[in-house]
Amino acid sequence: SQDSFLSIFSRGINIVKKVFGKDEQQMVQAELTKQKNELKRMEDELKRLRDLTTLDFGENNQFLKFYGQCFKKVIEKYTYEICPYGQAKQDHTSLGNFHGLGDDRKTFLFTNGAKCWNGPNRSITVTLKCGSKNELGKVAEPSVCEYVADFTTPVACEESELEAKLAEYRALTGKGEAHDEL
């Protein structure tokens, strides 16, 4: 449909060129360029939306909020950056591209990172753990160029974990059950 639209629009420009002078032709050509750019932008947005429909955001789309976000942390001498549904990096070295959720539905898998010298391509498995804020935790390299990391997030909390944390908080602060004020 876009080809037919552009061909009709181009034929219209040719008619305008014959009828109008050079200034009008330039205005029409500028409008055509503008319309082509807008069409390209719309096609790119449509592709992005189609890509979104193919991604697995977990049960009830619980991980959707991470789409387009990145989390950084300096650990020892390296800066690690994890972008769920994007890339993972150690400084400027790719640890991989998002491959999907793990079988346990509590891990982000990144594969096909930069090739290690005399070894495999880098990869990282990020385990989601219950926590009060979104934060990259410890990172380790248990085998050559295969990394593991912890990422705390409230999204990973089960209701029972939240209740246990609330009970622990109340015990530490001496605060009892919350009551509604009259």
Side-chain angles (χ1 to χ4, degrees):
S1 63
Q2 76 182 32
D3 292 336
S4 62
F5 170 76
L6 290 177
S7 67
I8 291 169
F9 199 76
S10 293
R11 280 186 270 157
I13 286 177
N14 290 335
I15 293 169
V16 169
K17 285 180 181 177
K18 292 177 185 172
V19 174
F20 296 104
K22 198 167 199 155
D23 289 341
E24 289 85 3
Q25 288 178 21
Q26 288 173 341
M27 287 179 12
V28 170
Q29 188 63 45
E31 182 63 25
L32 175 61
T33 301
K34 179 180 163 187
Q35 293 298 323
K36 282 182 179 179
N37 290 341
E38 179 63 13
L39 180 60
K40 173 73 172 119
R41 186 195 66 73
M42 291 168 56
E43 288 171 341
D44 290 347
E45 178 66 9
L46 182 60
K47 181 188 179 318
R48 185 185 75 79
L49 292 172
R50 281 189 180 138
D51 289 347
L52 270 175
T53 63
T54 64
L55 295 173
D56 181 1
F57 292 109
E59 188 178 328
N60 299 318
N61 290 321
Q62 67 192 50
F63 303 127
L64 178 61
K65 67 182 270 163
F66 295 135
Y67 182 81
Q69 291 192 44
C70 295
F71 304 92
K72 281 186 180 183
K73 185 168 187 178
V74 177
I75 300 173
E76 295 180 18
K77 60 183 178 177
Y78 300 108
T79 299
Y80 291 91
E81 181 177 35
I82 303 295
C83 304
Y85 303 96
Q87 287 190 327
K89 295 179 186 177
Q90 178 193 56
D91 293 326
H92 296 288
T93 303
S94 172
L95 298 180
N97 296 310
F98 183 75
H99 183 75
L101 297 176
D103 291 337
D104 63 356
R105 313 297 284 164
K106 294 270 187 173
T107 54
F108 291 142
L109 306 175
F110 294 84
T111 59
N112 204 26
K115 179 115 174 103
C116 277
W117 181 83
N118 207 18
N121 286 17
R122 288 173 172 84
S123 65
I124 187 168
T125 300
V126 180
T127 301
L128 304 175
K129 299 196 178 252
C130 179
S132 61
K133 59 183 175 177
N134 296 325
E135 184 175 43
L136 186 58
K138 66 180 180 177
V139 178
E141 187 179 2
S143 58
V144 177
C145 297
E146 293 180 1
Y147 299 81
V148 293
D150 289 338
F151 182 77
T152 60
T153 176
V155 175
C157 298
E158 300 290 331
E159 190 171 336
S160 60
E161 289 175 298
L162 292 173
E163 289 170 2
K165 298 253 185 222
L166 181 58
E168 184 180 325
Y169 168 77
R170 287 182 176 145
L172 288 172
T173 61
K175 294 184 179 180
E177 294 289 323
H179 299 293
D180 290 334
E181 295 294 322
L182 294 178

